[in-house]
Amino acid sequence: MTMVPARPSLLTPPVLWGLASLAAIALSLAAAGLFQQELFNPGGLPQLGRFFRASLQPDLSREMLQLTVQASLVTLAYAVCGTFLSLLLGLLGGVVMSEVWWQAVLPQRRQLQPPPIWFGLRAFLAVPRAIHEVIWGLFFLNLWGLDPLTAILAIALPYGAIVAKVFSEILDETPRQPLQALLNSGAPPFSAFCYSLLPQAFLNLLSYSFYRFECAIRSAAVLGIIGAGGLGYQMLLSLQSLRYEQLWTFFYAMFVLNGLVDFSSAWLRRRWGCASRLDLNASAAPTTRTIASNTPSFAVYQPLNQGLALLLVGLIAFCFWYIQPDFSKLWAPRTGQLLTDLLHACWPPDWSQGWQLVKLSADTVAMSVLAIALSATVGLLLAFPAAHNFFLPGGLLNPTAGKNASLLPQILFLLSRAILLMGRAIPAPIWALVVLFVLFPGILPGAIALALHNLGILGRLMAEVIENLDQRPLLALQTTGAPASLVFLYGVLPLTMPRFLSYSLYRWEVCMRETVIVGLVGAGGLGRLLTEQLSSFDYQGLMATLTCFLVLTFGVDWVSASARRSLR
Amino acid sequence: MIRRAGIGYQRPGLQPLFELRQVTQQFGGLNALSQIDLKIFPGECVALIGSSGAGKSTLLQLLNGTLRPTSGEVWVLGHNLGNLSSRRLRQVQRQIGTIYQQLHLVNNLRVIHNVNAGHLGRWPFFKALLSLLLPLEVETAAKALTQVGIPEKLYDRTDCLSGGQQQRVALARVLVQDPVAILADEPISSLDPELSREVMDLLRTLCQQAGRTLVVSLHDVAFAHSHCDRIIGLRQGQMVFDAPSFQVSLEMLADLYRLTAPL
């Protein structure tokens, strides 16, 4: 007689989270007014048709191409300078925010919790992180006008806070024994850090820095929308003047720029053997970071790496020279004056619109939920054909394709990659304006615009998860004679799903922050109110809206973090 | 050259379960196996020994149809694997259970699903899907886990188990698959001596009980002697000897683990 343990309850935490998210999606759909009100505007269809037809005949005149190159350089330069500054901030912040630093500096407290200043720092850095680059941009616009400084700092400040958080986590996860050995032999903490933790974590830090740069390119384009110049600005101008042929020229420039950045970053990461750039489940699955033995590993003194480093320094110098930000404005007396004026105008916050704020907050959350649900679903569907080890001949589900293999997988591969690239290359506000051709303003167009942009990012992250999948369990399933569909069900799906979900939850946090930028162009939610308050100089009302926004952002971050913990 | 290849094993009227005919396997320019002829008959218990890179894993991968030979033919259960459609290949693979060197389990699934994966060659898609939500054929899985000695782990997550327990889950999966032959690729290389003995005993018993054929690659020559009745020595892709266990002498082993072959 065999003993059969009692079947555990079906309502495990992941299942409960799943049910909760289905409920959230249903509620959000209701909030978007599905089946209740007129959403679709057929009058905009001809416009949309013209827009898509223009993709086949972009404006390639000489002046136009010159303008495109200039605008692309501006966007690139914003991204490079912004990332550079944010990495400086982030490295500093990351070290002082890491637990291990305080343990090194205050060894007598090693057994205790880190000092109060550590908690203070963490809480303080959460604020710049919670506010989207565009809001920072609008704020700096008031101080410095349309100086490139505005755009660079709008990227550097929130990114610096994010980088600091991630760097501190990477440092805390790095093995500490070498550091301890140095400290025990009497080395001062800073030198000990430079000789142990920093070189140990270097690859992970570098890999994340490249990911930040990929994001910065997209942020730099979005900042154009508020007038900072570059490709985003040119796109907005063309769209507003209904010159779709020009618009598509800028779109294609953005594809090329994004494609180049993504490709070179992926190439470098592969070359140095860091497979995953954004490891949200790092502590759950440490094996994914191991370097495959056949990849050339990283060595600082290799000539190619030295060349690349030189190239990078040159690029950064060129970018600062090209846009010439006026750093003297940072300490100009006028800045201080404007800042005090602005703070006075903001205080106290005006809560007179209380009820409307609550309703708009609910709308904003609904928009973010719909956006992530849509982009996760479509991103997932596109990720499989976009992964090079899946449907392609020799891939997981197509192991025996011989000479008579069809071209379909290759076509699907290129097509899905192109869709993903197009999704992420075009800034969400531009998508929103396009969607608003055929949908009435509200939650839905905002959600769709955010989804279109985010599915490009999410799909790519997911494809990378699939490509880095451990093949051995799948091979074992294949040799039991299981058909491809069941290898997928019992191997691929369970192995990838936790990562897919945790990326989706992470992107949900980003979507929440981004609702503000589709609101800017009229898609609804708190962002729209924010725009109205900005244009009517209602700074006290603005303060109240921003506070709501901060509360929502922290709330969403908290929910997402708890869900991710339970999914490990 | 000591090669008592298979002659003693030719039993008239009995069809070999596995047969390699002049098989060569190349990876890049490298010969992983060259010109191997080999017959393995039903009910045999065969050990593959030799140093790392001798071709043991490659040979097992050829036998279960994961690899197709660069030249030569692999016959399993009377079928030439090279001529089978992928559907027919799967039907043959269903009859062969493989246990791997690193534990090829899906870590974040519960034990029951990893064990039930042994059914996948037979189960229709919807049954497999349903079972992921609501485990099916729990009795069979529980019986298999009892046989390998960890019945209480049925609903645990696989990554919460120790290395030895995970190896047992892999064994239970093969039991559920109920194959006519078991291939084991260094099943004890990551286990301590005590666990190694237990796992080898288990493998041996499981095969003897049901008259299954066992082909196991081993680093530990002592286990090859104690648990198998035939030993095949591989060196640099060549078969150095193939003899009943009791005939394998210390000189033959010393010769096998020499670094280079004499000219």
Side-chain angles (χ1 to χ4, degrees):
Chain A
M1 186 62 216
T2 51
M3 177 191 95
V4 181
R7 174 174 294 164
S9 162
L10 276 180
L11 295 178
T12 52
V15 173
L16 290 176
W17 278 111
L19 293 176
S21 42
L22 283 182
I25 292 169
L27 278 176
S28 307
L29 279 174
L34 207 64
F35 311 121
Q36 292 159 28
Q37 63 197 57
E38 189 113 33
L39 296 171
F40 186 63
N41 173 13
L45 278 178
Q47 197 76 290
L48 194 68
R50 269 196 55 209
F51 167 78
F52 278 114
R53 269 198 305 282
S55 69
L56 298 177
Q57 36 197 328
D59 186 347
L60 297 177
S61 62
R62 197 185 157 78
E63 312 86 85
M64 191 57 202
L65 288 181
Q66 270 173 353
L67 181 64
T68 311
V69 170
Q70 274 169 13
S72 308
L73 276 179
V74 169
T75 300
L76 179 72
Y78 284 168
V80 169
C81 301
T83 315
F84 176 69
L85 292 181
S86 77
L87 289 178
L88 287 186
L89 286 175
L91 198 58
L92 250 153
V95 169
V96 294
M97 262 172 79
S98 67
E99 232 174 310
V100 59
W101 167 256
W102 291 102
Q103 286 181 352
V105 177
L106 305 169
Q108 66 277 16
R109 291 185 67 111
R110 192 167 299 150
Q111 308 307 325
L112 307 170
Q113 286 203 316
I117 182 176
W118 180 74
F119 291 103
L121 267 174
R122 294 214 146 186
F124 173 73
L125 279 175
V127 175
R129 213 167 58 227
I131 298 176
H132 193 271
E133 301 91 80
V134 165
I135 301 187
W136 281 113
L138 289 169
F139 173 65
F140 291 141
L141 210 56
N142 277 302
L143 295 183
W144 304 311
L146 283 174
D147 194 275
L149 191 65
T150 300
I152 296 178
L153 284 194
I155 295 176
L157 206 66
Y159 273 37
I162 299 172
V163 171
K165 176 165 181 274
V166 173
F167 276 16
S168 73
E169 284 164 1
I170 292 177
L171 288 177
D172 278 339
E173 277 164 21
T174 306
R176 294 180 191 183
Q177 293 87 338
L179 174 72
Q180 214 53 60
L182 290 180
L183 287 176
N184 289 345
S185 60
F190 188 71
S191 322
F193 250 63
C194 290
Y195 271 81
S196 57
L197 276 194
L198 289 182
Q200 278 173 284
F202 183 70
L203 264 189
N204 285 332
L205 298 179
L206 196 67
S207 165
Y208 185 75
S209 306
F210 278 114
Y211 170 67
R212 265 297 120 199
F213 179 55
E214 292 173 29
C215 298
I217 279 278
R218 298 188 274 268
S219 292
V222 173
L223 282 168
I225 310 284
I226 60 166
L231 279 173
Y233 181 58
Q234 300 296 345
M235 283 182 196
L236 188 71
L237 289 184
S238 310
L239 191 59
Q240 280 170 344
S241 55
L242 308 181
R243 297 197 173 160
Y244 301 130
E245 287 77 17
Q246 296 184 356
L247 184 62
W248 276 94
T249 314
F250 297 126
F251 277 4
Y252 288 130
M254 201 60 202
F255 295 161
V256 172
L257 198 57
N258 256 277
L260 278 179
V261 168
D262 291 359
F263 177 79
S264 45
S265 143
W267 182 77
L268 284 176
R269 271 183 288 116
R270 231 193 344 272
R271 207 188 127 69
W272 293 331
C274 28
S276 163
R277 57 181 140 179
L278 172 68
D279 212 341
L280 295 170
N281 272 348
S283 48
T287 47
T288 51
R289 281 198 187 188
T290 50
I291 296 170
S293 54
N294 55 352
T295 48
S297 60
F298 183 81
V300 178
Y301 301 109
Q302 236 172 297
L304 183 67
N305 287 341
Q306 282 179 337
L308 285 172
L310 217 66
L311 203 71
L312 209 61
V313 172
L315 181 69
I316 294 170
F318 168 79
C319 287
F320 274 104
W321 170 81
Y322 187 73
I323 50 173
Q324 311 255 331
D326 184 1
F327 281 107
S328 68
K329 284 192 175 176
L330 273 178
W331 46 84
R334 190 179 134 77
T335 304
Q337 186 57 42
L338 283 171
L339 195 62
T340 24
D341 287 353
L342 204 62
L343 291 180
H344 274 298
C346 287
W347 207 257
D350 173 14
W351 295 99
S352 58
Q353 290 190 316
W355 185 240
Q356 209 209 341
L357 277 179
V358 174
K359 195 198 162 297
L360 286 178
S361 299
D363 279 0
T364 307
V365 175
M367 192 195 284
S368 72
V369 168
L370 286 184
I372 199 60
L374 201 62
S375 62
T377 317
V378 182
L380 185 60
L381 290 179
L382 288 174
F384 286 105
H388 63 60
N389 62 342
F390 215 73
F391 289 119
L392 291 187
L396 294 174
L397 292 195
N398 198 359
T400 49
K403 294 142 245 148
N404 51 356
S406 75
L407 271 176
L408 190 67
Q410 266 96 346
I411 294 171
L412 277 178
F413 174 74
L414 290 177
L415 195 67
S416 52
R417 291 236 149 178
I419 295 175
L420 293 179
L421 180 58
M422 177 160 150
R424 65 177 181 269
I426 297 176
I430 300 289
W431 276 127
L433 288 172
V434 172
V435 174
L436 282 171
F437 285 161
V438 287
L439 290 180
F440 291 114
I443 299 176
L444 201 60
I448 292 177
L450 284 178
L452 283 172
H453 180 67
N454 276 288
L455 75 85
I457 298 165
L458 214 43
R460 174 148 187 268
L461 286 173
M462 289 172 172
E464 230 161 65
V465 170
I466 300 168
E467 285 169 3
N468 294 333
L469 203 58
D470 184 1
Q471 309 271 323
R472 295 169 308 182
L474 308 178
L475 207 70
L477 287 176
Q478 242 161 25
T479 52
T480 65
S485 59
L486 291 185
V487 173
F488 180 79
L489 199 61
Y490 272 71
V492 178
L493 217 52
L495 284 173
T496 50
M497 217 19 107
R499 269 158 183 276
F500 285 172
L501 291 176
S502 94
Y503 277 139
S504 302
L505 285 163
Y506 160 74
R507 266 337 274 191
W508 179 40
E509 299 170 27
V510 180
C511 271
M512 182 62 218
R513 290 161 171 76
E514 284 182 345
T515 52
V516 104
I517 58 171
V518 291
L520 281 183
V521 294
L526 280 176
R528 191 174 183 178
L529 180 64
L530 208 73
T531 322
E532 288 164 10
Q533 286 165 334
L534 264 174
S535 49
S536 59
F537 302 102
D538 176 10
Y539 288 122
Q540 292 177 328
L542 189 77
M543 222 31 213
T545 315
L546 263 184
T547 314
C548 272
F549 207 77
L550 273 183
V551 172
L552 286 188
T553 309
F554 288 135
V556 164
D557 287 7
W558 179 78
V559 173
S560 153
S562 349
R564 270 189 282 164
R565 253 198 311 282
S566 93
L567 286 174
R568 275 183 184 175
Chain B
M1 176 100 183
I2 310 159
R3 181 181 275 202
R4 298 164 204 183
I7 299 154
Y9 302 92
Q10 297 270 12
R11 294 162 222 186
L14 196 61
Q15 198 193 19
L17 201 132
F18 295 108
E19 184 174 2
L20 299 191
R21 295 181 189 164
Q22 285 292 305
V23 165
T24 297
Q25 180 72 48
Q26 291 183 328
F27 296 116
L30 208 77
N31 267 16
L33 285 176
S34 27
Q35 307 270 320
I36 302 285
D37 278 300
L38 173 68
K39 283 180 186 172
I40 295 173
F41 291 89
E44 275 193 291
C45 181
V46 183
L48 301 176
I49 62 171
S51 29
S52 304
K56 304 188 296 289
S57 295
T58 310
L59 183 56
L60 289 173
Q61 283 178 305
L62 284 166
L63 293 182
N64 71 14
T66 308
L67 284 178
R68 302 230 163 159
T70 315
S71 68
E73 290 172 0
V74 179
W75 289 72
V76 178
L77 291 161
H79 300 281
N80 180 353
L81 293 189
N83 291 342
L84 295 182
S85 68
S86 61
R87 191 185 170 79
R88 296 277 295 138
L89 176 65
R90 284 204 301 274
Q91 282 170 356
V92 173
Q93 285 180 323
R94 227 174 272 177
Q95 302 296 318
I96 305 162
T98 311
I99 297 164
Y100 289 90
Q101 159 178 358
Q102 288 101 356
L103 308 146
H104 289 43
L105 297 172
V106 181
N107 264 330
N108 49 358
L109 280 182
R110 290 181 179 189
V111 167
I112 171 116
H113 298 306
N114 268 309
V115 174
N116 271 350
H119 289 299
L120 291 184
R122 298 182 291 266
W123 273 5
F125 182 78
F126 285 103
K127 185 168 184 186
L129 181 64
L130 181 65
S131 176
L132 270 186
L133 305 172
L134 196 80
L136 299 175
E137 307 206 9
V138 180
E139 274 288 331
T140 320
K143 213 174 123 193
L145 283 174
T146 311
Q147 269 182 287
V148 298
I150 47 167
E152 72 284 358
K153 300 291 182 194
L154 185 63
Y155 289 112
D156 285 21
R157 249 178 73 141
T158 308
D159 48 9
C160 300
L161 269 55
S162 71
Q165 289 170 334
Q166 292 190 2
Q167 194 64 289
R168 283 159 196 265
V169 173
L171 275 173
R173 171 193 285 183
V174 169
L175 284 180
V176 163
Q177 191 187 341
D178 193 21
V180 298
I182 295 180
L183 309 177
D185 191 356
E186 292 182 19
I188 52 170
S189 62
S190 55
L191 304 181
D192 64 41
E194 190 54 36
L195 271 171
S196 297
R197 174 160 302 282
E198 283 180 31
V199 168
M200 282 307 291
D201 286 349
L202 250 172
L203 264 178
R204 172 93 206 194
T205 333
L206 296 176
C207 287
Q208 275 175 345
Q209 276 170 358
R212 295 188 179 103
T213 311
L214 176 67
V215 184
V216 52
S217 70
L218 290 169
H219 264 304
D220 194 323
V221 181
F223 279 122
H225 268 294
S226 59
H227 286 74
C228 302
D229 17 77
R230 176 178 167 193
I231 299 181
I232 295 173
L234 290 169
R235 185 179 58 210
Q236 294 176 340
Q238 310 268 354
M239 202 148 78
V240 180
F241 60 78
D242 176 1
S245 301
F246 62 87
Q247 284 182 5
V248 175
S249 62
L250 284 175
E251 296 83 69
M252 286 161 77
L253 290 173
D255 179 54
L256 179 68
Y257 286 100
R258 262 189 311 110
L259 278 178
T260 49
L263 290 173

